Amino acid sequence: MSKPDLLIHTAFKLFYEHGIHAVGINTILSETGVAKKTLYRHFGSKEALVEAVLIYRDQIFMDWLTSRMLAAGEGKVAILALFDALDDWFHDRVDVLLPFKGCFFIKANGEFSNHAVNALCQKHKQNITSFIQANLIDCSSELSVAELAQSISVLKEGAISQAYVAGDLDAAKRAKAMAVTLLD
Amino acid sequence: MSKPDLLIHTAFKLFYEHGIHAVGINTILSETGVAKKTLYRHFGSKEALVEAVLIYRDQIFMDWLTSRMLAAGEGKVAILALFDALDDWFHDRVDVLLPFKGCFFIKANGEFSNHAVNALCQKHKQNITSFIQANLIDCSSELSVAELAQSISVLKEGAISQAYVAGDLDAAKRAKAMAVTLLD
DNA sequence: TTACAGGTAAACCGATCTGTCTACTTCATG
DNA sequence: CATGAAGTAGACAGATCGGTTTACCTGTAA
């Protein structure tokens, strides 16, 4: 693995577990064994590294989620596969996402205000909602697909928060059941 | 307002907006005009202040939410009032909660790991779910009231996150609609 | 009046933070 | 062989962090 990739991967792991402000540059350096000058050559600042980590996680998560949904099929089937995927995530059956510790973007968003980080987090959420919406175009419903996609997103966000903060690891199953009735 | 209350109130405002680790003790002191020694007489450490702030916010939030639900009535009516209350919160129509910046407990929980803060955040969420459950005891449903309360909690958590991170301020209305069908 | 609790102001401490700098090494490529 | 990019190691700088300490002030109650 290249030095930048190693730094991003390790930084994510530490940020995800302990929070961004709680993890210093020196911790990332000692964890990776990379020299400080190397880090600052590739990333001009800690903030630049944080943004790279957000982009990295967005790619990992979106690739995983979209492949899970596409593998299941189209339309309603794909939406239900989303909640099955979440259930696997909550129960640590998805190696590529690392052990479940909530949504990294919700956490990161909460540590900043009026910052580039917030924009990246919002964009990540919009990307997911857009993909959900794309899977709903041929779904029969009296609601507009845009609003339906946002309702599905509410269920998805609720499952993640409920699973993490309250420790309700079966939250995705509950969300799925509500999604079923919503899509009928 | 007493010095401890002033410190807690100001600390909450700053923590809520910028995050806990991002706000230093000195910022709270200069904002309040209180001497550092006074802060450390009442709170032995920053961590103690943080815990006091969490307890403070828990009381404010629970008092507001329970009064809104009790004022509406009992059973299903109270549950629907919960989502109307959230809608008011998201649109900054609730002075006592300060301008909406997401759920303080989700944010705080994300900044710590295996810490007293996490336990307090989880307890806050459990308190709300328990109160929801208490309003469901006479609700006709094939589901157990405990699981039904957790499903309602998923909708509530989802509305908050969706409103804050994605900026979907009407998320409470969507959650309410799903709650209606869930309770039928 | 005296004693004391609660408060301010500000210096101070050691630790840690992000970020820079110098000196040396390694290695691939022209 | 020479050159230059990419790397390590680690000292260093300046700021800020949480927290302690000293000196002084103020109001209240015995």
Side-chain angles (χ1 to χ4, degrees):
Chain A
M1 189 158 23
S2 72
K3 300 290 174 184
D5 287 352
L6 175 63
L7 287 166
I8 288 174
H9 183 269
T10 305
F12 167 73
K13 195 180 64 179
L14 293 169
F15 289 160
Y16 187 37
E17 176 160 5
H18 301 105
I20 293 172
H21 285 114
V23 175
I25 288 291
N26 296 320
T27 304
I28 299 168
L29 295 176
S30 62
E31 186 87 0
T32 56
V34 171
K36 189 177 277 196
K37 188 159 191 176
T38 303
L39 187 152
Y40 278 98
R41 182 193 345 254
H42 294 291
F43 309 97
S45 64
K46 182 184 180 179
E47 181 180 323
L49 175 61
V50 169
E51 292 173 18
V53 167
L54 285 163
I55 291 168
Y56 159 80
R57 179 66 172 182
D58 176 62
Q59 288 173 344
I60 295 279
F61 192 88
M62 284 296 289
D63 287 352
W64 166 75
L65 187 64
T66 55
S67 71
R68 284 289 299 256
M69 290 172 69
L70 289 172
E74 291 183 351
K76 182 179 166 182
V77 176
I79 301 299
L80 298 185
L82 183 155
F83 293 98
D84 293 335
L86 289 182
D87 193 60
D88 285 343
W89 181 29
F90 299 166
H91 289 88
D92 289 337
R93 293 189 291 259
V94 186
D95 290 343
V96 72
L97 294 184
L98 302 193
F100 178 67
K101 295 188 183 69
C103 172
F104 181 60
F105 299 90
I106 291 176
K107 289 174 146 187
N109 191 66
E111 291 201 53
F112 297 87
S113 60
N114 300 108
H115 194 277
V117 166
N118 301 100
L120 286 170
C121 294
Q122 185 174 1
K123 189 181 163 196
H124 167 79
K125 296 298 182 186
Q126 287 173 344
N127 288 342
I128 294 179
T129 301
S130 294
F131 188 77
I132 291 171
Q133 186 173 336
N135 279 275
L136 288 170
I137 49 174
D138 54 350
C139 233
S140 63
S141 173
E142 71 278 10
L143 289 164
S144 82
V145 287
E147 292 197 347
L148 198 53
Q150 283 180 300
S151 291
I152 297 291
S153 294
V154 167
L155 290 171
K156 178 210 65 173
E157 293 294 294
I160 297 172
S161 278
Q162 178 79 355
Y164 183 55
V165 184
D168 175 16
L169 294 184
D170 290 330
K173 297 181 181 72
R174 304 181 215 290
K176 183 183 181 184
M178 289 187 273
V180 167
T181 66
L182 181 67
L183 294 174
D184 286 339
Chain B
M1 189 158 23
S2 72
K3 300 290 176 183
D5 287 352
L6 175 62
L7 288 166
I8 289 174
H9 185 269
T10 305
F12 167 73
K13 197 179 64 182
L14 293 168
F15 290 159
Y16 188 37
E17 177 160 5
H18 301 106
I20 292 172
H21 285 113
V23 175
I25 288 291
N26 295 320
T27 305
I28 299 168
L29 295 175
S30 61
E31 186 87 0
T32 56
V34 171
K36 189 177 275 196
K37 187 161 190 178
T38 303
L39 187 152
Y40 278 98
R41 181 190 350 251
H42 295 291
F43 310 97
S45 64
K46 181 183 180 181
E47 182 179 324
L49 175 61
V50 169
E51 292 174 18
V53 167
L54 285 164
I55 292 168
Y56 160 81
R57 179 66 172 183
D58 176 62
Q59 288 174 343
I60 295 280
F61 192 88
M62 284 295 289
D63 287 351
W64 166 76
L65 186 65
T66 55
S67 71
R68 285 288 300 253
M69 290 172 70
L70 289 172
E74 291 182 351
K76 182 178 166 182
V77 176
I79 301 299
L80 299 185
L82 183 154
F83 293 98
D84 292 335
L86 290 181
D87 193 60
D88 285 343
W89 183 27
F90 299 167
H91 290 88
D92 289 336
R93 294 189 292 259
V94 185
D95 289 343
V96 72
L97 295 184
L98 301 193
F100 178 67
K101 295 189 181 68
C103 172
F104 181 60
F105 299 90
I106 292 175
K107 289 174 145 188
N109 191 66
E111 292 200 52
F112 297 86
S113 60
N114 301 108
H115 195 277
V117 166
N118 301 102
L120 286 170
C121 293
Q122 185 173 2
K123 188 182 163 196
H124 167 80
K125 295 298 182 187
Q126 286 173 346
N127 287 344
I128 294 179
T129 301
S130 294
F131 188 78
I132 291 171
Q133 186 172 337
N135 279 276
L136 288 170
I137 49 173
D138 55 349
C139 233
S140 63
S141 172
E142 70 279 9
L143 289 164
S144 81
V145 287
E147 292 196 348
L148 198 54
Q150 284 180 299
S151 292
I152 297 290
S153 294
V154 167
L155 291 171
K156 180 211 63 172
E157 293 293 294
I160 297 172
S161 278
Q162 178 81 354
Y164 183 54
V165 183
D168 174 18
L169 294 184
D170 290 330
K173 297 182 182 71
R174 303 181 215 291
K176 183 183 180 184
M178 290 187 274
V180 168
T181 67
L182 180 68
L183 294 174
D184 284 342

